[in-house]
Amino acid sequence: MSKILNSQNYAMSMPELLKDSEKLMSEIPALLKAAEDTSYEDRTFTYARGGPAGVIPFRQAAEKSWIVLYQVTDILVEHLLHKVPRGSFDRRLALREIESQWPELASKHFYDRYAAIANYVRNNQNYFSTLDLEMLRFEVSRLDTYVADVKSVISK
């Protein structure tokens, strides 16, 4: 865990947090590949979008995607507003504030992208919803672009 127990403060610096996010992002493709497993109890199923034995790697990929999303968003908010959000709602408020204070960043639609990616990856990590491997791959590719855009903003 990258946060200090019973607080919203990170146990590492923001550059270290970015490296941690990049490390987690690099682990996701292997989990997505493992999620393709269609075997279960010596039987093979014909699911085109992942199988029963791939449920745990699927959820792990969704979980790591969610962690990357909130860590990278926190890095962006801390860089621009000099505060760390206390949760998902605070992240949304901070992203709205960023888009209103920096019109040039509004064109990147960080708020909309955060909300859209968070909806799918967080719901598939915590709740029983439709496990669509192709949709998760799509969201991970969008997350990769989101991370690159945040890195371009904080490097200026």
Side-chain angles (χ1 to χ4, degrees):
M1 188 63 168
S2 55
K3 288 197 173 183
I4 298 171
L5 188 62
N6 296 324
S7 80
Q8 292 300 319
N9 298 322
Y10 284 100
M12 55 183 77
S13 69
M14 290 298 151
E16 292 171 326
L17 193 62
L18 183 59
K19 285 184 179 146
D20 181 60
S21 297
E22 290 169 338
K23 178 182 165 286
L24 289 173
M25 228 19 223
S26 70
E27 295 170 5
I28 294 171
L31 291 168
L32 292 173
K33 183 69 179 157
E36 295 174 3
D37 188 356
T38 58
S39 66
Y40 183 71
E41 294 179 347
D42 296 326
R43 293 177 288 170
T44 300
F45 293 80
T46 57
Y47 297 122
R49 296 186 172 221
V55 170
I56 292 175
F58 180 96
R59 294 218 186 272
Q60 289 172 332
E63 177 183 15
K64 288 182 189 235
S65 298
W66 166 241
I67 293 169
V68 169
L69 179 63
Y70 80 70
Q71 286 185 167
V72 169
T73 302
D74 287 357
I75 292 167
L76 176 68
V77 170
E78 196 278 333
H79 179 76
L80 295 173
L81 300 177
H82 309 291
K83 63 181 179 183
V84 177
R86 292 184 307 246
S88 188
F89 183 72
D90 274 359
R91 281 183 201 97
R92 288 174 185 245
L93 293 177
L95 289 171
R96 277 181 34 192
E97 186 178 343
I98 287 169
E99 289 185 359
S100 67
Q101 284 187 21
W102 289 274
E104 67 277 8
L105 296 181
S107 66
K108 293 191 179 283
H109 304 286
F110 283 119
Y111 177 89
D112 296 334
R113 292 162 67 194
Y114 170 83
I117 297 168
N119 181 55
Y120 192 79
V121 299
R122 195 165 186 208
N123 284 343
N124 275 301
Q125 168 206 342
N126 295 326
Y127 310 108
F128 290 107
S129 57
T130 304
L131 303 178
D132 188 330
L133 186 56
E134 294 306 312
M135 184 63 78
L136 183 58
R137 279 194 176 105
F138 173 73
E139 294 296 347
V140 167
S141 71
R142 292 178 63 207
L143 175 60
D144 199 30
T145 306
Y146 182 89
V147 170
D149 286 348
V150 168
K151 285 169 64 174
S152 73
V153 169
I154 64 173
S155 66
K156 292 180 182 177

